[in-house]
Amino acid sequence: MTYDLVIIGGGINGCGIARDAAGRGLKVLLAEQDDLASATSGNSSKLIHGGLRYLEQYEFRLVREALQEREVLLKIAPHIIHPLDFVLPHDRSMRPAFMVRAGLFLYDHIGGKISLPGSRGVKFPDEQYSAGLRPNIRQGFLYSDARVDDSRLTVINAMAARDLGAAILTRTRVERASRTPAGWQVILRDTVSQTQSEVMAKAIVNAAGPWVQQVLDIGIKVESAATVRLVKGSHIVVPRVHEHDHAYILQNDDGRVAFVIPYEEKFSLIGTTDVAIQSMAEGDHITPAETVYLLQAVNRYFPQSLHAQDIVWSYAGVRPLYDDGATDPASITRDYVLKVDDENGDWPVLSIFGGKITTYRRLAEHALDALRPYFPQYASQWNPWTADTALPGGEFKDGGGAGNIAGGRAKRLAQSFMSRHTGVAPDFVGRLVFRHGVNAELILKNIRSMDDLGELFGRGLNLLCEREIDYLIAREWARSADDILWRRTKCGLHMDEAERARVTGFIDQKLKVHYP
């Protein structure tokens, strides 16, 4: 097989580029060595945001682009991206209030027209925004951003690419690639069966994230002037620390900030850290020092102290940042850098350094701009298109602007589904809609009662049913229990050990049927 583009890496950048390129008519293959969003893209802070703190580092271009993209993503994925209020508590030990006001004013306006509410000051105590805070904190600031299911955003980009003709291969590693007179010869290995195959490509996109340097040095043997810095960001999840549905952004003693984000109804997500590491082996788990750091950041503001035994889940992700020479890991640019290497003007490889989930779609557009000279045959259709096309599940029909569609329209869609499926628990229907959007109908089709859903696991909002498991295996590349429990859903967080073991055994049996 000969492809126009072989993409290495099934994170958000790789899947975003696969979608954009396939929509412009390119023949695309994406190879991911594990599961989609199994590394950086599934271990983020779950935010679509401009990056308020990046203003202090003069990253104005990045913040502007991120805020513009926040508007786009609220519009094209309203089922998994929802507006979120942030409260920034303030006292005299922090940055001066006038500086915070100036930063928030810039944040409100640098991205152009926005649909989310602008920032304002708030006085404490009040009935909402000071919930859970120490009584000595008397004032703060309120601004808007958005939250996202990061793994699902990655998966639905891959689904969109597949629907446009792209080949999406998970559990498939690019062993090596070599330039030949006819193009790139790419050797693929199925990591489950260990079988090898070979394809040809006119161009390669190295979207391997934390492995971007390894792919260059070992897999395709291309030298690049750019280098990557690996910075670990860890998070902890604890029982909900405050009632209301807003997040906190807390300034720590070292000047960094920590987020406290309402998560999965019953929990709070707390993060993140910035720890420079030398290899991926150091980045797969949170350390005791990071745990202490995050707990101290929160306990400074909340009277009900959290302890390590309160943590119900933790995870770590590795950011593959462009090495700009900064010594402090927190100061390394979060902007992305694209590097193209070719040989006599032919057979390019484009490597991606850095990037944020929020800006993945624009990154994909810039990647296609960089590759345009190598594909003159597609010139007539080489136009940006993804900003105005809904992602799978987000094809809502009732109109509306970016700021109100994510919350209001998703709720209205859920209510519509509930009215049509009265024999199914309303909470379960609602959660299906917030996971799958309009595609929830593919799971609920011909379902008249809970019994029609097959085997049931868990309870309430986070019920997992056999019908959804079948859908995730057939349509979303799920190949293990973890793929389902922790990435395509977060049902694993709501189950005890015995329930997780029961559903894991059930999923394993299902997979043996689908992948004998």
Side-chain angles (χ1 to χ4, degrees):
M1 295 289 290
T2 298
Y3 291 88
D4 293 313
L5 210 58
V6 166
I7 300 170
I8 304 172
I12 189 62
N13 291 332
C15 293
I17 293 171
R19 175 195 181 216
D20 196 335
R24 300 185 196 218
L26 275 71
K27 189 174 183 180
V28 176
L29 181 146
L30 180 145
E32 161 56 45
Q33 66 179 348
D34 198 337
D35 183 29
L36 301 173
S38 58
T40 305
S41 298
N43 291 303
S44 75
S45 296
K46 324 295 184 191
L47 297 177
I48 297 295
H49 66 137
L52 180 62
R53 72 181 182 90
Y54 304 147
L55 292 175
E56 287 190 324
Q57 299 164 9
Y58 308 108
E59 297 261 23
F60 300 124
R61 191 212 70 81
L62 173 62
V63 175
R64 180 184 299 109
E65 182 175 271
L67 289 171
Q68 292 167 347
E69 283 302 286
R70 187 185 69 187
E71 291 290 302
V72 172
L73 296 178
L74 281 165
K75 181 176 66 174
I76 67 175
H79 52 311
I80 60 168
I81 301 176
H82 305 149
L84 180 63
D85 289 336
F86 282 79
V87 174
L88 193 165
H90 187 269
D91 64 32
R92 292 182 179 179
S93 69
M94 303 175 190
R95 298 164 178 85
F98 77 87
M99 185 183 296
V100 178
R101 289 192 191 96
L104 288 170
F105 179 84
L106 184 59
Y107 199 69
D108 287 341
H109 294 88
I110 194 173
K113 185 178 179 180
I114 62 172
S115 58
L116 298 183
S119 62
R120 62 183 175 88
V122 287
K123 296 291 185 181
F124 303 144
D126 69 354
E127 293 183 357
Q128 182 173 359
Y129 295 119
S130 62
L133 292 175
R134 292 184 181 276
N136 62 311
I137 301 174
R138 309 298 296 176
Q139 65 176 340
F141 299 90
L142 179 69
Y143 71 97
S144 298
D145 262 318
R147 58 180 146 191
V148 65
D149 187 324
D150 50 6
S151 299
R152 291 214 57 78
L153 182 63
T154 304
V155 169
I156 63 175
N157 270 274
M159 294 172 69
R162 178 191 57 202
D163 293 345
L164 292 164
I168 308 295
L169 304 181
T170 63
R171 270 73 179 191
T172 302
R173 182 169 56 244
V174 173
E175 291 277 273
R176 61 187 181 277
S178 308
R179 282 190 178 106
T180 73
W184 284 97
Q185 180 190 46
V186 183
I187 307 300
L188 306 172
R189 180 180 293 277
D190 184 309
T191 61
V192 178
S193 68
Q194 295 302 313
T195 56
Q196 280 194 353
S197 58
E198 177 185 317
V199 299
M200 297 296 294
K202 297 174 184 176
I204 288 178
V205 171
N206 178 8
W211 294 273
V212 61
Q213 200 78 51
Q214 182 177 325
V215 168
L216 286 171
D217 295 343
I218 301 173
I220 57 181
K221 293 183 170 60
V222 169
E223 292 186 8
S224 173
T227 55
V228 69
R229 292 274 295 278
L230 301 180
V231 176
K232 182 174 64 165
S234 295
H235 298 77
I236 57 175
V237 176
V238 299
R240 191 76 172 258
V241 299
H242 70 284
E243 300 175 356
H244 296 283
D245 199 30
H246 62 265
Y248 286 108
I249 177 171
L250 309 176
Q251 182 177 317
N252 210 355
D253 294 333
D254 59 1
R256 291 194 69 256
V257 297
F259 295 113
V260 181
I261 304 165
Y263 189 62
E264 288 291 306
E265 307 294 335
K266 299 179 180 179
F267 304 100
S268 293
L269 174 64
I270 299 169
T272 177
T273 59
D274 277 307
V275 179
I277 60 174
Q278 299 303 311
S279 70
M280 285 299 290
E282 302 174 55
D284 63 355
H285 63 278
I286 189 171
T287 64
E290 289 177 287
T291 299
V292 170
Y293 177 89
L294 293 174
L295 290 173
Q296 287 179 342
V298 176
N299 289 339
R300 177 182 175 187
Y301 291 87
F302 291 88
Q304 186 173 355
S305 292
L306 294 172
H307 302 90
Q309 56 264 35
D310 297 315
I311 298 171
V312 297
W313 185 41
S314 65
Y315 62 88
V318 178
R319 309 179 189 98
L321 304 180
Y322 173 69
D323 188 356
D324 61 1
T327 55
D328 179 7
S331 299
I332 302 171
T333 181
R334 265 51 175 179
D335 210 344
Y336 52 85
V337 173
L338 308 179
K339 295 292 184 181
V340 178
D341 174 89
D342 61 20
E343 192 173 84
N344 301 320
D346 292 321
W347 321 139
V349 54
L350 181 148
S351 297
I352 299 167
F353 298 84
K356 290 162 47 69
I357 281 184
T358 306
T359 54
Y360 86 89
R361 194 200 62 82
R362 285 293 294 275
L363 182 153
E365 287 186 342
H366 291 148
L368 271 294
D369 288 343
L371 291 170
R372 181 173 187 163
Y374 305 97
F375 295 97
Q377 68 272 34
Y378 295 108
S380 63
Q381 59 204 73
W382 206 276
N383 299 309
W385 65 275
T386 56
D388 299 314
T389 305
L391 284 159
E395 304 94 340
F396 294 5
K397 303 297 185 184
D398 60 345
N404 64 28
I405 55 178
R409 286 177 66 203
K411 289 178 182 176
R412 290 197 295 275
L413 180 67
Q415 290 165 357
S416 172
F417 273 60
M418 291 173 197
S419 68
R420 299 201 303 273
H421 299 279
T422 54
V424 182
D427 284 351
F428 176 64
V429 173
R431 180 46 71 98
L432 279 182
V433 170
F434 278 90
R435 279 204 282 265
H436 303 283
V438 298
N439 286 341
E441 188 60 45
L442 300 176
I443 299 170
L444 292 170
K445 187 176 181 179
N446 298 324
I447 297 295
R448 294 179 175 82
S449 70
M450 296 298 289
D451 291 339
D452 295 335
L453 294 168
E455 192 82 15
L456 301 177
F457 305 90
R459 60 197 66 82
L461 281 172
N462 294 283
L463 187 72
L464 183 63
C465 71
E466 182 176 358
R467 187 73 175 254
E468 186 177 11
I469 290 170
D470 288 338
Y471 173 86
L472 295 172
I473 293 172
R475 292 279 300 160
E476 295 193 4
W477 301 277
R479 297 285 298 273
S480 77
D482 277 357
D483 295 353
I484 292 174
L485 291 176
W486 298 102
R487 280 183 285 277
R488 283 146 189 82
T489 79
K490 295 297 182 289
C491 290
L493 182 59
H494 300 268
M495 296 177 180
D496 59 28
E497 215 170 294
E499 191 74 5
R500 285 194 291 268
R502 187 169 81 90
V503 71
T504 295
F506 183 83
I507 291 171
D508 287 347
Q509 290 301 313
K510 284 277 184 182
L511 289 165
K512 287 178 182 177
V513 174
H514 284 269
Y515 302 101

